[in-house]
Amino acid sequence: MGAFDTPIGRRAALGILGSGAAAGLAACGSGPPTPKSASVPSSVSGDAVTALLAAVPKRTIKDLNAKRLADGLTPPTNRWFSGLVFGDDPQAVFPMPIGFAVAETGFEIWLPQVSANGTSIIGARAGGLTCVIDSASVSAMVIGYDVASVAVELRDGEDALAELRLVQGSPTVSLTARRDLTVAAPVVYERAGDAWQVTVEGTLYGLVGADSVNGTSATIASGSTVTWFAAPPGGSVADLAEKVAPVTATGVTWELADDDVTTTLRFDGGPTLLTALPHHSLVDAGEQFGAYDTVLGEAGLFSVETLRWTSKRWPIEPSLDLSGLGSDDRKALAEQVAADVAAAPTYPTDTYFGGKALYREAMLLQIATAVGADDAAATITGRLTDALTTWTEPAGADRRATQCFVYDEDNRGMVGLEPSFGSDEFNDHHFHYGYFLYAAGVLCADNPDLTAKLSPVLDLVAADIASPTDTGDFPQFRPFDVYASHSWASGTAPFADGNNQESSSEGVNAWAGLALWARARGDEGLEQQAVWMHALESAGALAYWLQPETRAGFDHTVVGIGWGGKRDYLTWFSPDPAAILAIQVLPASPSHGYLAAAPDKVPAAVTEALQGEAYGRQYTDWVLLYSALAGGDGAASAVDQIAAVTDKLDDGLTLSYLRAFLLTR
C-alpha cells in the first residue's frame, strides 16, 4: 500500500502553529516555556509520552555541558544554533544568509565570502561588523527558541545587557536593550535615508531604530529595539530599511496533497526581509530585492511575512514491488533469500549497527514473503520479533548493559545502549532510530498485538527524533530544520563551521521509518508529519548533497558533508570517493524514490565514485545499486556486476535486496 493510499487520504493538513514558538520567546526571563500544541493529536506528544517515561530507567550517560541555556528550556541538541549552548565557549552559527558569533565585548555578524577549491565550498568569515557594547565583558545565554529563531541574552557578569534575535533566512539581527546602551561599530556610520549604514571590507550594513548615532556609536534606550542588517551586493540601505521589521516568533504549518507538500514558515512581526534558498520553490513571494551568495547557492531576498514553498511528495513503502518479476527471477530470489537467512550474522548490540541489522532483516522478510520463501520468512519473523522485543523492554536497562534504552533526564532524550558514533552525545539519533522504526513498521504492519507490545518504547524513540511539540520531555523535531529542509547530525555542534550532516539518505530514511511506524500504530497525525518531513528532507538531500548545483572550482558531482558554513567532499570515515557517494545512497530503501529524481546525473556520480576501477572494493555495492537508476540498460548492466561485490557487501545490504532492487528498476 503506497503512501498516497493510506488513511491520510488525498489531501490533509497538520499545523504546528507556533504558539510554542512564541513560548520559547516567552521564556526570555519569565520561567519555563508554555508547551506547544498541534492541531492533530499524536501518540508521541503530551501526557501519553510522559506516562510512558515512568517505566523507563533514567540515566545521563554524558554531561553535554549546556552551560549557556536558561532554566526551563529543553536542551536544543541537533540544531543550527546548538554551538551557542553547549561546550566551554560559544561557536559561530549560520542562520543564513549571515553568520553570527558572540565576541568578548559584544557580537559580530558577517556575510560569508563564498569560494570553492577542489574539495570544499567555503563561506569565509570576512568583512564582519563587530558591535562592541559599552566596553563590557560579554557572555551569552540562550533564553528562548522556536522553529526558526533563537533569542540570546547578552550579559555583563550577572547583569543583562540586551536580548538578540537570530532568525533563519533573515539578513538581520535585532537587539532589545535591557538597560541604556551604547553600541560601537568599527567604522563611522553614515546617514542613509531614515537609517544608518557602515561599510566593512566591502560589505554594506544598515542600522534602523537607534535613538541616536554619533560617529561609530549608536545609543539605544532601555526597552528599545534596533536592527542591523547586511545588504545584498548592489543593495541600498535606504531602500531596504523600510522593509526591516524585528521578528518576534516563528511557526510552521504544512499541507499534504497527492503529489506535493506545501510548507508555510511564519515570521511574526513582519513583513520583513527574508531569503529563500535554492530548494525553496516559493509560492506568492512577490518582488525580489536582490540576492545573497551562500554556500548553498544564491538566496533571493523578499519582503514577506511567510516563506511558503512546495516540495515533491515521494511514496513511503514497506517493501519493493516484486509483482512484475518472472518465475525464474522469483525462484532465484527465493534461493538467495534462503542463503542470506542461513548466513546472517548475530545482530550487533549498539544502536547504529544493531538498528541497521534489524532494517536489513525487515527488507529480507519482505522479499521472502513476496517470492514465497515461507520457511525463510518464518525464521526472519521469529528472530526479528525476538530482537525488537528485547530492545523495547521498558526496564531492560535495569537488567543488561546493551540492547535497551534509557531516558536522559538532563538532556531530554532516549539513549540506546550501547551508544555508537557519539549517540550518547545525541549525535545521529535520527540515523540510528530510523532503522528501528522502519523495521518495526514493517514487522507490525498487520500485527496489532505486536505493535501494542513494542509501542511503549518505540513511541518514545519516535518522540526523541520527531516530537511534534516541545513538551519539556523532548524538543520539537529534534534534528529537523524546517527552513534548511534537512536534519543536523551533531548533538552539540562543537565546530567553528556550525552543525553538520553527512548521510542525507539516512536522514530521509528516518522519516520513512517514522511514517511506517505511525502507519502500523494507526497514528494519523504522526504519519502526516512524517510524510511532510520525508518530502522536505528528500528535497534537501537532492539540492545540497546528492545532485547539487555547485560552483566553479568545486570539482565533484556530490557533497559528502554539509555544514552551516561550508560543504565538503569527504566523509567522517573514509576519503574513498565510493564512500562519499555511498553515504548519500544507503540504505536505498523502498521509500527512497527521490534517488532516481534525475537519472541523467547518475552516470557522472558513478564514474567519479569508481575512479576508473572495477566494482569490488568496499562501498561499491551501493555505487552499483545507484548505477541502476540511470535508466536505459543501467539496471541490466548492474545485475551482471553483482558477483563483483558479493564479498564486500555493506552490513545493511543483502544479495537478495541488491538483486531485487536491480530487477525492479
Side-chain angles (χ1 to χ4, degrees):
M1 179 170 65
F4 303 157
D5 303 314
T6 69
I8 292 176
R10 292 182 56 81
R11 180 171 285 272
L14 174 66
I16 303 297
L17 300 178
S19 59
L25 307 183
C28 304
S30 60
T34 304
K36 304 176 183 180
S37 59
S39 61
V40 178
S42 167
S43 60
V44 300
S45 62
D47 294 341
V49 165
T50 302
L52 292 176
L53 286 171
V56 177
K58 312 302 187 294
R59 192 179 308 169
T60 296
I61 309 301
K62 186 169 289 189
D63 179 7
L64 300 189
N65 193 16
K67 62 190 300 180
R68 290 177 299 280
L69 184 67
D71 292 343
L73 294 180
T74 308
T77 60
N78 307 89
R79 301 299 174 99
W80 61 272
F81 63 87
S82 294
L84 290 176
V85 171
F86 301 97
D88 290 337
D89 298 302
Q91 299 290 339
V93 296
F94 301 88
M96 293 282 177
I98 62 172
F100 170 87
V102 177
E104 290 184 357
T105 55
F107 62 94
E108 180 183 358
I109 61 173
W110 64 93
L111 276 182
Q113 305 300 299
V114 184
S115 63
N117 58 36
T119 58
S120 298
I121 300 170
I122 301 168
R125 182 172 171 175
L129 175 64
T130 301
C131 296
V132 177
I133 301 176
D134 282 348
S135 300
S137 178
V138 171
S139 61
M141 180 72 67
V142 169
I143 58 172
Y145 64 90
D146 53 32
V147 71
S149 72
V150 60
V152 181
E153 186 174 84
L154 301 182
R155 299 175 175 178
D156 184 3
E158 297 298 319
D159 297 329
L161 298 170
E163 177 187 322
L164 296 179
R165 177 64 48 129
L166 308 178
V167 182
Q168 285 183 287
S170 173
T172 72
V173 173
S174 295
L175 178 150
T176 300
R178 295 301 183 215
R179 69 184 194 197
D180 293 344
L181 296 177
T182 300
V183 181
V187 292
V188 174
Y189 283 99
E190 300 174 347
R191 175 62 76 174
D194 293 331
W196 298 87
Q197 68 181 34
V198 294
T199 301
V200 183
E201 297 179 20
T203 300
L204 179 64
Y205 299 92
L207 170 64
V208 296
D211 294 301
S212 65
V213 174
N214 183 14
T216 63
S217 297
T219 300
I220 308 162
S222 178
S224 296
T225 298
V226 301
T227 302
W228 288 268
F229 64 96
S236 164
V237 165
D239 292 341
L240 293 174
E242 64 183 17
K243 300 175 176 64
V244 172
V247 173
T248 58
T250 67
V252 64
T253 58
W254 63 86
E255 184 179 4
L256 308 183
D258 285 355
D259 299 322
D260 57 38
V261 306
T262 301
T263 303
T264 302
L265 192 54
R266 191 194 72 247
F267 299 82
D268 294 347
T272 190
L273 293 177
L274 296 167
T275 56
L277 294 175
H279 78 281
H280 290 136
S281 299
L282 290 184
V283 178
D284 300 328
E287 182 182 357
Q288 183 170 327
F289 298 99
Y292 298 87
D293 192 15
T294 79
V295 295
L296 299 177
E298 184 178 277
L301 181 65
F302 302 88
S303 177
V304 290
E305 293 179 276
T306 63
L307 288 177
R308 180 174 171 84
W309 70 94
T310 60
S311 310
K312 181 174 174 58
R313 176 176 174 174
W314 298 94
I316 296 175
E317 306 284 4
S319 63
L320 299 171
D321 181 3
L322 305 183
S323 61
L325 296 187
S327 58
D328 289 345
D329 285 334
R330 294 174 69 86
K331 180 180 178 181
L333 271 177
E335 293 172 352
Q336 186 62 62
V337 165
D340 286 341
V341 169
T346 302
Y347 295 153
T349 57
D350 70 293
T351 53
Y352 179 70
F353 292 108
K356 201 174 176 184
L358 299 178
Y359 163 86
R360 180 194 68 221
E361 291 279 87
M363 295 301 96
L364 198 56
L365 171 60
Q366 298 291 71
I367 296 170
T369 301
V371 300
D374 296 339
D375 290 345
T379 298
I380 302 169
T381 298
R383 67 192 188 196
L384 193 54
T385 300
D386 289 346
L388 279 167
T389 300
T390 298
W391 271 103
T392 59
E393 182 186 358
D398 288 337
R399 286 179 279 280
R400 57 185 177 274
T402 64
Q403 293 181 286
C404 53
F405 288 90
V406 297
Y407 178 69
D408 184 334
E409 289 185 296
D410 290 335
N411 300 310
R412 312 293 174 85
M414 300 296 288
V415 177
L417 304 182
E418 62 196 65
S420 52
F421 300 106
S423 58
D424 52 346
E425 300 175 12
F426 285 73
N427 295 349
D428 300 353
H429 278 201
H430 58 310
F431 297 161
H432 299 203
Y433 299 170
Y435 285 121
F436 282 89
L437 294 169
Y438 210 120
V442 167
L443 188 64
C444 295
D446 299 309
N447 192 334
D449 291 340
L450 184 60
T451 301
K453 184 176 183 179
L454 304 184
S455 63
V457 168
L458 285 182
D459 281 353
L460 293 175
V461 167
D464 179 87
I465 61 171
S467 177
T469 63
D470 183 341
T471 63
D473 294 321
F474 299 99
Q476 183 185 31
F477 309 152
R478 185 189 302 281
F480 186 67
D481 186 325
V482 176
Y483 174 75
S485 297
H486 65 74
S487 301
W488 297 109
S490 175
T492 60
F495 309 106
D497 290 306
N499 213 321
N500 73 89
Q501 177 161 264
E502 179 182 63
S503 182
S504 61
S505 51
E506 287 180 306
V508 173
N509 193 64
W511 316 129
L514 180 69
L516 292 176
W517 172 247
R519 194 179 299 173
R521 192 78 173 75
D523 188 336
E524 181 181 356
L526 186 61
E527 186 180 356
Q528 290 174 7
Q529 177 186 322
V531 169
W532 166 67
M533 296 167 84
H534 181 265
L536 265 64
E537 190 97 35
S538 297
L542 287 171
Y544 306 125
W545 278 268
L546 187 63
Q547 295 173 349
E549 295 295 330
T550 56
R551 65 179 60 226
F554 182 77
D555 300 331
H556 303 286
T557 61
V558 300
V559 169
I561 304 177
W563 299 78
K566 66 174 181 176
R567 301 161 78 191
D568 286 329
Y569 184 73
L570 51 77
T571 74
W572 287 105
F573 59 93
S574 172
D576 188 335
I580 297 170
L581 177 58
I583 202 62
Q584 309 310 329
V585 173
L586 64 85
S589 82
S591 303
H592 277 63
Y594 77 96
L595 292 176
D600 58 306
K601 295 188 176 183
V602 171
V606 170
T607 297
E608 179 178 60
L610 292 177
Q611 294 287 294
E613 298 182 14
Y615 289 104
R617 74 179 191 272
Q618 190 177 14
Y619 312 120
T620 59
D621 49 351
W622 294 113
V623 177
L624 177 63
L625 182 148
Y626 186 59
S627 73
L629 303 179
D633 63 354
S637 298
V639 170
D640 294 336
Q641 294 288 338
I642 290 176
V645 301
T646 298
D647 295 333
K648 293 290 186 179
L649 277 190
D650 182 75
D651 53 353
L653 189 61
T654 62
L655 287 174
S656 296
Y657 189 84
L658 177 58
R659 180 175 290 276
F661 187 95
L662 299 180
L663 290 174
T664 53
R665 296 310 102 189

